[in-house]
Structure formats: C-alpha cells, structure tokens
Amino acid sequence: ESDFCQQRLPRESNSLKCQQAITVGRRPRHKMASAIFRALLFVTAVVSVSLAAPPSDVVVLDTDNFDRMTKEGVWFIKFYAPWCGHCKRMAPIWEQLAKRLLETGIRVGKVDADGETEIGERFTIQHYPTLKIFEGGKATDYKGGTDMDSMHKFALEYKAKPRAQATTSSKPFNFAAAFKNIDTNHLAGPALAIVEKLAGDSLGLYSFAIFLLGFFAGILAGIMFAVREKAHFD
C-alpha cells in the first residue's frame, strides 16, 4: 500500500492525500469481493431451495385441532416424542405410509405427545411411538409391527370391515297400523256376552263400570303387545 501511495503522489504530499490514494487503489478489490460474496449468497440460496423437504402428507395434530379433525373419517395417528430414537427412525416410513394411504381416504397424522400432554394423558400414552386408528372420534389400538407392510395392511383391513347398522328405525311408529293388527271381531263376541250378563246383575252400574275398566285395560294391553312386536321386527 505504501509503494502504491508513493507512485501516485510526491513525497512532500501530506498524509491525508496519501490515505485518499490508498482508498482509491482499494476500490476495485472491494468491488470484486462484494461481487463474489453476492454470488456465494445466490448459490447458497439455490442449494437450500433444492434441498428443502417436500410437502408432507402427515397432518400435525395438537390440542387445538385434534377433535375437529378426527371426528370425521378414518385417521391413523402416531403419538411420538421428539427425543425418541425409534420415533426418529420411523419418521420416513410414516411419511411413505401417508402417501400410500392418501388415495384410500385414510388420513395419517402425528401428535407430539410429550409436548401435547393433555392429549397424551387423555389417550393414556405410556410409550413411544404409540399408534392408534380413529374413526368418529373413537380410538382403536394398533399392536402390530412398525414396518410399512404391516401398518398398510392393517389400515386397509380396518377401512374395509363392515360397519354396524343402527338397530332403531328413524321413522315414527304408526299406532294406527299397529291397532289394525288386533282382532277386534274376536274380542267383540265375548265382550257383548259379558255386557248382557252384567245388565241383569244385581250390582248394576257398579259391576258394569268394573267391566269397562277391565275391557279397556285389555285393549291397552293388546296395543302395547302390538307395539312391542312391531319394534322387535323393525
């Protein structure tokens, strides 16, 4: 730097002019270094983007969205802890499983049960990883292997199993139709005979009233029997 200064200025020049010349001589080097630095930043950004992880098909579940997300459809969920070595080794397999089940309608999720303690306690998570399959908010334990084939087979078999149908009918019961099943003609004969007998009974109206109570009690019992039979066959 001093040699460069001496070549540009006479010896009698003061130190300020010398320093200015040194600064002028440095500018090309600074521009080159700046250009190289910007190029390195650009290359680093390109490499970072190219090496970035692809979008995940595994849904991250937590206290805020767990119930809302799992109340519909079938979910295969892994409860894990970030410090669990086996969970880390299983992570890429779980990602592949999510991709394979995507077209079946089975959603794959994961819960950091070590951080989401409320969910962990709710489902009694005692070891990691714990796998459960959910449908309609109800959980079923998975106790098979953690290899791809075992988990994939279990999920497909669960989805294919028949669902229990509701045993009660949503239609209101037709009391008129049930009443038609009662054979009123069969009841009319004996009833009229009893009425005729009571008409000549010495107890008079009191006995007749007792008869009427019994008669209508029998009718009511017949209706209740028909209702029960109808509900049984439905």
Side-chain angles (χ1 to χ4, degrees):
E1 292 178 354
S2 59
D3 293 339
F4 181 81
C5 178
Q6 293 297 329
Q7 293 173 4
R8 292 290 302 273
L9 295 174
R11 293 184 179 275
E12 61 271 12
S13 299
N14 57 40
S15 60
L16 179 60
K17 291 182 179 180
C18 181
Q19 186 63 37
Q20 291 175 347
I22 294 174
T23 305
V24 171
R26 285 180 175 176
R27 285 180 182 173
R29 296 181 182 178
H30 288 173
K31 290 182 179 180
M32 182 178 294
S34 178
I36 294 174
F37 180 72
R38 286 196 296 268
L40 289 175
L41 286 179
F42 176 77
V43 172
T44 302
V46 171
V47 172
S48 298
V49 171
S50 63
L51 295 179
S56 175
D57 294 310
V58 178
V59 181
V60 178
L61 300 170
D62 54 28
T63 305
D64 295 331
N65 66 0
F66 187 91
D67 291 333
R68 173 171 51 84
M69 298 290 286
T70 60
K71 69 180 181 181
E72 296 181 355
V74 178
W75 285 78
F76 204 1
I77 299 176
K78 176 183 69 173
F79 297 85
Y80 73 100
W83 45 262
C84 169
H86 186 58
C87 298
K88 294 178 181 179
R89 291 189 294 271
M90 183 184 173
I93 301 176
W94 199 246
E95 291 286 345
Q96 296 172 17
L97 179 66
K99 292 184 181 298
R100 291 184 63 178
L101 293 177
L102 194 60
E103 296 182 355
T104 68
I106 301 175
R107 305 293 303 277
V108 176
K110 63 180 180 179
V111 178
D112 177 5
D114 188 53
E116 301 290 340
T117 55
E118 180 181 341
I119 298 179
E121 293 174 357
R122 177 178 168 187
F123 295 104
T124 318
I125 306 302
Q126 298 179 345
H127 62 274
Y128 304 107
T130 293
L131 307 182
K132 294 178 180 287
I133 198 160
F134 286 76
E135 183 176 14
K138 296 182 179 180
T140 300
D141 292 335
Y142 172 73
K143 299 180 180 180
T146 55
D147 58 285
M148 170 66 71
D149 291 338
S150 298
M151 295 187 295
H152 186 256
K153 180 180 178 182
F154 171 79
L156 294 182
E157 289 178 349
Y158 181 91
K159 183 72 180 296
K161 73 176 184 179
R163 268 49 175 179
Q165 301 295 327
T167 56
T168 58
S169 174
S170 58
K171 297 181 179 179
F173 182 74
N174 191 337
F175 285 96
F179 186 75
K180 290 180 180 179
N181 294 328
I182 301 176
D183 189 357
T184 55
N185 293 327
H186 178 73
L187 295 175
L192 290 175
I194 295 174
V195 169
E196 291 176 356
K197 183 178 183 302
L198 289 177
D201 196 292
S202 59
L203 295 179
L205 293 178
Y206 177 77
S207 297
F208 186 71
I210 295 297
F211 161 75
L212 288 179
L213 288 175
F215 177 77
F216 286 111
I219 295 295
L220 181 61
I223 294 175
M224 292 177 64
F225 175 80
V227 169
R228 187 180 64 180
E229 290 296 310
K230 181 68 167 59
H232 176 73
F233 286 107
D234 287 347

